[in-house]
Amino acid sequence: MLSEILFIPLIFGVVGEEAMRYFAVQEMTGVVWLRQPLDRETKSEMQVEFSVSDSQGVVKNTVNIQIGDVNDNAPSFLNQPYAVQIPENTPVGTSVFMVNATDPDQGVGGSVLFSFQPPSPFFSIDGARGIVTVTRALDYETTTAYQLTVNATVRKHTLKNMDPIFTNLPYSTNIMEDAPPGYEVRKIRAIDQDLGRPRGIGYTIMSGNTNSMFALDYISGSLTVSGQLDRENPLYSSGFTITVKATELNDDRTPSSATVMTTFTILLIDKNDNPPRFNSSEYRVLIPELAQVGFALPLYIQVEDKDEGVNSMFQVVLTGNNSEHFSISPTSVQGRADLRVRVAVPLDYETIRSYSFSLYANESLSEHVGFARVFIDLINENDNRPIFSQTLYNISLPESTAAGTSLLQIKVSTHRSLPPGVLHDLAHNISIK
């Protein structure tokens, strides 16, 4: 007698209202198919419970479904509209604004690139960061406003070798102006976007490295100081706008054609390392003694501290014998000032003919002092009347006094200096003939 083998069919299904909206299962084969499109940006992962049953019971199991990304979203700008006001004397190389756009896609599909359409001759935009920078001198009298159109695009997935991308952007940074050679400013890092074994990256400074003040290690991407920085140097005062290129390296360490570039700024932080300085070590002037109180002496005195902010603040004082006869303004200075020395009290050649005193510019640091000497000579003016030695002269003489006899000498004095012979004439003997 042959035993009969019974075939009990299995029934497949999906459990749960949400799962059933997206997935369906062919009952007899267990093939799963989609009821509607998925959206990773709405839900990137789903826990779906499937079931299998026979006449004896039901078995359930949960499957974790990861939803992969497809570049199916366009980037969108944030915080619009964009408007900014800048002075017309904004230095070339200054970053004035940053646009911001996002793309919800992942990886390269979510990497936003910025560009001007059409390009602007006065401004540039960092393709990776959206930083807008002045590239040419501006002139309000020529153009009062600029309207720039920014395009935000994303990379397309291709089958060819993809360019590397920078990580940890932005790289803009500030360093002290006295940072020594060898000081590491920061690390530059880029990665290979291609799947599989990533290739190495080589780093190169393309532009903006004035006087080779920085060095970039080709392999490690370490950006270091290589020269003596000085914020007060006109070449460095506005900072550095550095452009760096990252290049994927072939297996033999030679450069490939896959590259990417980024531009960033390095600004120098001021240190109080400069004392105030006058434009001359001494000043000399000749003025009339009748110069009125408030009269400004014809001296060109300029003082400057090349440091920045509070580091450039100092006091100006006159000191020395009779310096109180004059005043100076301003006495409180930040940065640079043209100084005026004025007459403070009436002057008198017959009392003081010349002045010599010191001019100091004192900063908060005791060793930061500017010094100069001021010499002032007075021009004598005819401002004093002659004075007789007596108001009344009485003489008695006999009637027999011979003609030509000297009877009296009348003296006249003056505080001022007279031309030769004048005082002699005033004091000439009087004779009776």
Side-chain angles (χ1 to χ4, degrees):
M1 178 178 174
L2 296 177
S3 60
E4 184 179 352
I5 299 175
L6 298 177
F7 177 76
I8 303 175
L10 299 178
I11 307 298
F12 298 92
V14 60
V15 180
E17 181 179 348
E18 180 183 47
M20 293 176 65
R21 286 204 307 269
Y22 289 96
F23 301 97
V25 179
Q26 210 290 326
E27 290 185 351
M28 303 307 295
T29 63
V31 174
V32 180
W33 49 277
L34 278 174
R35 291 181 179 273
Q36 59 176 310
L38 300 174
D39 184 11
R40 188 204 63 83
E41 286 71 44
T42 301
K43 196 164 188 176
S44 62
E45 184 177 356
M46 298 183 70
Q47 304 289 329
V48 180
E49 189 176 30
F50 293 97
S51 66
V52 57
S53 62
D54 59 14
S55 59
Q56 302 299 312
V58 178
V59 176
K60 298 179 181 179
N61 195 16
T62 300
V63 177
N64 185 39
I65 298 178
Q66 302 285 340
I67 301 172
D69 184 56
V70 173
N71 187 7
D72 58 348
N73 290 277
S76 60
F77 287 98
L78 305 178
N79 304 320
Q80 294 191 80
Y82 297 129
V84 64
Q85 292 183 340
I86 60 173
E88 65 173 325
N89 60 349
T90 300
V92 172
T94 302
S95 298
V96 296
F97 193 67
M98 183 171 71
V99 298
N100 192 3
T102 60
D103 189 306
D105 293 315
Q106 286 184 326
V108 178
S111 178
V112 181
L113 299 178
F114 300 97
S115 62
F116 285 142
Q117 293 297 331
S120 169
F122 292 92
F123 300 90
S124 65
I125 187 168
D126 187 305
R129 295 177 295 157
I131 295 177
V132 179
T133 302
V134 178
T135 56
R136 285 179 56 183
L138 306 177
D139 183 9
Y140 179 86
E141 284 67 35
T142 302
T143 304
T144 61
Y146 296 87
Q147 184 170 345
L148 306 173
T149 301
V150 180
N151 275 5
T153 59
V154 295
R155 297 178 186 269
K156 302 295 184 181
H157 288 282
T158 63
L159 297 177
K160 67 177 183 178
N161 180 40
M162 299 178 64
D163 292 336
I165 60 171
F166 286 103
T167 62
N168 302 323
L169 292 171
Y171 293 137
S172 295
T173 188
N174 300 339
I175 62 173
M176 295 299 298
E177 65 169 313
D178 62 344
Y183 172 83
E184 185 176 69
V185 179
R186 67 171 309 119
K187 284 276 193 182
I188 308 298
R189 177 167 167 74
I191 59 174
D192 181 358
Q193 293 190 85
D194 298 310
L195 300 177
R197 183 170 62 88
R199 297 197 289 182
I201 303 292
Y203 304 93
T204 310
I205 296 178
M206 303 302 295
S207 65
N209 191 14
T210 306
N211 289 343
S212 300
M213 285 293 108
F214 301 95
L216 181 61
D217 189 276
Y218 186 70
I219 298 300
S220 70
S222 175
L223 182 67
T224 58
V225 176
S226 63
Q228 189 61 54
L229 297 171
D230 182 9
R231 193 201 64 84
E232 287 70 48
N233 187 324
L235 292 175
Y236 315 140
S237 58
S238 60
F240 300 80
T241 302
I242 305 290
T243 298
V244 171
K245 180 173 72 172
T247 304
E248 285 187 18
L249 303 179
N250 296 317
D251 291 339
D252 61 358
R253 310 302 284 177
T254 59
S256 73
S257 60
T259 65
V260 64
M261 289 198 293
T262 188
T263 300
F264 57 93
T265 58
I266 301 175
L267 299 180
L268 302 183
I269 302 172
D270 182 56
K271 182 182 180 181
N272 192 359
D273 56 352
N274 289 274
R277 296 186 185 278
F278 292 98
N279 61 334
S280 178
S281 60
E282 66 176 46
Y283 304 91
R284 295 181 179 272
V285 69
L286 189 65
I287 64 171
E289 67 168 319
L290 297 181
Q292 298 293 312
V293 172
F295 170 77
L297 278 59
L299 290 171
Y300 174 57
I301 304 178
Q302 189 175 83
V303 62
E304 180 181 17
D305 187 324
K306 292 184 178 180
D307 290 317
E308 189 177 42
V310 296
N311 291 338
S312 67
M313 297 176 65
F314 55 92
Q315 300 293 317
V316 178
V317 294
L318 287 174
T319 183
N321 294 334
N322 302 306
S323 61
E324 69 276 3
H325 290 192
F326 299 88
S327 65
I328 192 165
S329 64
T331 57
S332 296
V333 178
Q334 179 174 346
R336 182 174 63 184
D338 293 326
L339 303 179
R340 283 289 190 181
V341 177
R342 298 180 183 275
V343 176
V345 299
L347 307 176
D348 184 13
Y349 177 89
E350 286 69 38
T351 304
I352 303 177
R353 298 186 177 188
S354 63
Y355 297 84
S356 173
F357 41 79
S358 300
L359 181 59
Y360 287 98
N362 298 322
E363 206 184 309
S364 57
L365 297 179
S366 59
E367 66 271 22
H368 284 187
V369 178
F371 174 77
R373 293 285 294 172
V374 179
F375 300 93
I376 302 172
D377 293 316
L378 299 185
I379 302 171
N380 184 46
E381 299 283 358
N382 187 2
D383 60 340
N384 291 281
R385 306 174 72 179
I387 302 174
F388 287 94
S389 59
Q390 295 178 215
T391 59
L392 178 64
Y393 297 91
N394 291 318
I395 60 171
S396 298
L397 68 161
E399 62 178 329
S400 60
T401 301
T405 301
S406 294
L407 303 177
L408 177 68
Q409 186 180 49
I410 300 175
K411 293 184 177 181
V412 179
S413 65
T414 178
H415 290 296
R416 65 184 178 88
S417 297
L418 298 176
V422 173
L423 187 59
H424 174 74
D425 291 342
L426 292 173
H428 197 280
N429 292 338
I430 297 176
S431 300
I432 297 177
K433 296 181 179 182

